[in-house]
Amino acid sequence: MRLDISNVNEVNFAKAPLIPALIQDVDTGQILMQGFMDQAALTHTLESKKVTFYSRSKQRLWTKGESSGHYLHVERVYTDCDQDSILVFARPDGPTCHLGTQSCFGDAKPNLGFLAELEQIIVARKDSDPQSSYTASLFAKELSRSCQKVGEEGVEVALAAMKNDNQELTNEAADLLYHLIVLLQRQGLSLSEVVSCLQSRH
């Protein structure tokens, strides 16, 4: 996989030998952690495609996940306008924080990022017991049932809008988004691919 890199060769380590690096989940947008990089840490991050910091406590390079196995796989790297800080979009293997949470910043996350989180929940539940999981029951049925549900929910969204009932419209839109994600997963597609399609049209 080729990394998407923006201006990282212009990072100004002459201004400060250690610069802050913010790590963000590439799918959900959640801020996962913040650390510091020197030139060697940045180079190792780009070469290994795993987030690597300079640990001020260990006084050495430290790849996140080297002990826990919860690596942060690098997707995109950017520097800010002053070239003295870095933003890394990464895909985490598991919880980022040593406390066992997804982020070192607790539950702080963007609202729209929940769609990606919901997609991950749907993926995790699709092979569960259909008797105990509505999501699993949808995957256990014929594809035509998921197609039908998306059609039904789409009609209900339109009807709620025609009635000018915003509460019902919100609920029906939520049902539509959920069933659409299920249908996409059944076809081997992700929300990211849909977003990429939208971006290409922009």
Side-chain angles (χ1 to χ4, degrees), residues 13 123 166:
F13 287 105
V123 170
N166 284 348

Side-chain angles (χ1 to χ4, degrees), residues 1-165:
M1 180 193 70
R2 179 182 175 275
L3 286 180
D4 182 356
I5 302 171
S6 175
N7 298 330
V8 292
N9 291 329
E10 300 174 12
V11 175
N12 189 357
F13 287 105
K15 185 184 295 186
L18 288 179
I19 63 172
L22 198 63
I23 316 302
Q24 189 169 3
D25 189 308
V26 69
D27 292 319
T28 68
Q30 185 176 22
I31 301 298
L32 299 176
M33 68 178 299
Q34 185 257 321
F36 292 89
M37 291 186 185
D38 60 5
Q39 180 67 71
L42 176 58
T43 298
H44 192 273
T45 294
L46 298 177
E47 291 178 349
S48 68
K49 298 179 184 176
K50 293 177 181 176
V51 172
T52 300
F53 299 106
Y54 180 82
S55 171
R56 294 172 297 173
S57 58
K58 298 179 176 70
Q59 293 287 296
R60 65 170 176 83
L61 295 188
W62 168 66
T63 298
K64 178 70 181 82
E66 64 184 30
S67 299
S68 66
H70 297 159
Y71 294 103
L72 295 168
H73 299 278
V74 180
E75 297 275 336
R76 303 200 297 271
V77 183
Y78 301 89
T79 183
D80 71 339
C81 57
D82 293 322
Q83 287 82 46
D84 58 4
S85 63
I86 294 174
L87 173 63
V88 179
F89 284 100
R91 185 166 279 110
D93 274 337
T96 298
C97 185
H98 70 284
L99 298 178
T101 55
Q102 191 67 19
S103 166
C104 293
F105 294 93
D107 294 328
K109 63 182 69 172
N111 286 343
L112 288 177
F114 179 72
L115 284 176
E117 187 176 335
L118 175 61
E119 182 178 52
Q120 293 168 0
I121 293 170
I122 288 171
V123 170
R125 292 184 182 174
K126 64 181 179 181
D127 294 322
S128 300
D129 180 4
Q131 299 297 319
S132 60
S133 168
Y134 175 69
T135 298
S137 73
L138 288 174
F139 282 95
K141 293 171 182 169
E142 294 293 326
L143 174 64
S144 59
R145 179 54 180 157
S146 288
C147 296
Q148 180 184 1
K149 287 299 295 181
V150 170
E152 289 174 355
E153 299 300 344
V155 170
E156 289 173 4
V157 165
L159 290 174
M162 288 298 294
K163 290 193 296 183
N164 205 26
D165 186 334

